[in-house]
Amino acid sequence: MSSIRDRVKQLVPAQVTDRVKDSLVDYAVRTSDRRPLPDFLIIGTKRGGTTSLWNYLIQHPLVPRLFPAWNTKSSHYFEENWHRGEAWYRSHFPTQRQRAALRRRHGGPVRVGEAAPLYMFHPLAAQRVAALLPSVRLIVLLRDPVERAYSHWKERRTHGIEPLDFVDALAAEQERTAGERERLIAEPESFSEPYDWYTYRARGRYLEHLEPWLDRFDRERILFLPSEDLYRDARGTYRRTLDFLGLPPHDLPDFKVYNDRRSAPLAPEVRAELTEYYRPHNEALRQRLGLDLDWPDRAP
């Protein structure tokens, strides 16, 4: 009998928590007309430092977190949750009244946003964002695509999603993801886990994924940040981001690295193959953006 009571006690708090969560979500949706759309989006890249930069930004007193509090950095609206509609999306952001209270308290402009690294890569996200948020500011972190691909694989491996070693996963990528991009376009309310999980090589072809954004947004609305700058000088990159968003300076006591994954170095032969593969893509990116990206695969 006592064991049954114990099990009931364990279940009740979870049930209460679920009811509270449902109530908060319902409240947020019902008040969505009082919740302005976001001012900025961090749209990529995956494994490029988006989580770290987001966590630095929400420590600024004029950058509120998403609502409700258990949301981490993204609603995933423009890729996974598009079918839920605009009211649902607005429900994640603070009300006009909350924004006004922050302005009065801290004497500056409020900037609300989210960070979703799949946005840059999703074939429909750019047009969706442009239609709903034509004046939004976009932040793009660009990491050495060789290191990005390896880090992406390590994350999937750690989460128990990737059974293959890195070389085999690269070899299987085309077959695993065949037709998924086309399906996302043909079925706008669908979502593809393979397209998110197993696109190790494809995601590093940055320019082809950025072109839809460059076609729809003025360049001054997009901040491109080499991830390596964030790793080497987090404080300076943070200050540059605040300036781009029109926020007053705000120093942080430290710049903790989030989601870092240490491991054995990438095998030289695999690094050489990927470096050669990305060379023309990286050169086209540099030419298009006019950025001096600090990656080791510069054309001679």
Side-chain angles (χ1 to χ4, degrees):
M1 234 5 224
S2 60
S3 63
I4 295 175
R5 287 198 201 97
D6 291 341
R7 289 171 64 185
V8 170
K9 287 179 181 177
Q10 291 171 0
L11 288 171
V12 169
Q15 292 169 347
V16 171
T17 300
D18 288 343
R19 285 200 297 271
V20 170
K21 285 186 175 183
D22 290 344
S23 296
L24 284 171
V25 171
D26 180 63
Y27 162 76
V29 173
R30 284 189 288 105
T31 57
S32 62
D33 60 336
R34 294 171 239 164
R35 299 176 181 273
L37 290 165
D39 307 291
F40 73 91
L41 301 175
I42 303 176
I43 64 170
T45 183
K46 184 176 181 64
R47 305 305 302 161
T50 57
T51 300
S52 290
L53 183 59
W54 171 255
N55 279 281
Y56 303 154
L57 286 173
I58 60 175
Q59 292 180 65
H60 193 290
L62 290 164
V63 182
R65 295 171 178 268
L66 297 185
F67 182 87
W70 61 78
N71 285 306
T72 52
K73 64 179 180 179
S74 177
S75 68
H76 298 287
Y77 177 60
F78 294 104
E79 17 94 339
E80 185 173 357
N81 293 307
W82 180 248
H83 62 283
R84 296 181 183 273
E86 184 181 334
W88 180 88
Y89 183 52
R90 285 177 177 269
S91 75
H92 290 77
F93 305 110
T95 63
Q96 293 168 331
R97 184 175 179 179
Q98 290 166 328
R99 281 179 173 247
L102 284 176
R103 281 196 299 271
R104 288 193 301 270
R105 187 180 313 145
H106 300 289
V110 174
R111 297 290 183 260
V112 174
E114 62 167 336
L118 185 54
Y119 285 173
M120 186 177 87
F121 187 56
H122 193 282
L124 299 178
Q127 67 189 60
R128 290 170 172 174
V129 171
L132 186 62
L133 308 171
S135 300
V136 76
R137 289 186 172 270
L138 304 170
I139 300 170
V140 183
L141 286 152
L142 296 173
R143 183 180 184 181
D144 178 346
V146 177
E147 296 295 340
R148 194 224 66 81
Y150 188 39
S151 182
H152 185 172
W153 172 81
K154 286 188 288 184
E155 180 193 59
R156 299 293 85 195
R157 188 80 161 182
T158 300
H159 290 171
I161 292 168
E162 179 55 85
L164 304 178
D165 66 26
F166 187 46
V167 173
D168 289 341
L170 288 173
E173 178 175 334
Q174 187 170 356
E175 181 179 354
R176 282 169 150 182
T177 62
E180 292 301 305
R181 185 176 180 87
E182 293 75 15
R183 183 171 70 81
L184 289 171
I185 296 170
E187 303 171 15
E189 295 192 351
S190 65
F191 180 73
S192 170
E193 288 178 340
Y195 188 75
D196 184 15
W197 289 352
Y198 301 129
T199 43
Y200 306 117
R201 189 186 293 265
R203 286 209 196 197
R205 299 193 301 264
Y206 295 132
L207 184 55
E208 70 181 68
H209 311 307
L210 284 170
E211 286 289 8
W213 300 90
L214 293 168
D215 288 344
R216 290 171 171 84
F217 291 92
D218 293 337
R219 180 64 184 273
E220 61 266 21
R221 293 203 165 272
I222 309 176
L223 175 64
F224 293 101
L225 297 171
S227 299
E228 291 73 17
D229 287 358
L230 180 66
Y231 303 149
R232 279 192 302 253
D233 181 16
R235 192 177 303 276
T237 303
Y238 173 66
R239 288 173 179 165
R240 185 179 171 194
T241 306
L242 295 185
D243 184 61
F244 172 71
L245 295 175
L247 286 164
H250 177 75
D251 204 12
L252 302 181
D254 60 67
F255 288 85
K256 171 186 172 183
V257 177
Y258 292 79
N259 286 352
D260 189 24
R261 298 187 185 279
R262 305 285 173 156
S263 69
L266 184 56
E269 63 276 13
V270 181
R271 180 180 298 280
E273 187 275 322
L274 284 173
T275 297
E276 196 57 33
Y277 173 82
Y278 284 122
R279 191 185 304 279
H281 298 286
N282 292 346
E283 190 56 34
L285 180 71
R286 291 186 184 104
Q287 297 273 346
R288 180 75 163 88
L289 300 184
L291 293 179
D292 186 20
L293 298 164
D294 188 14
W295 299 334
D297 56 343
R298 296 180 184 280

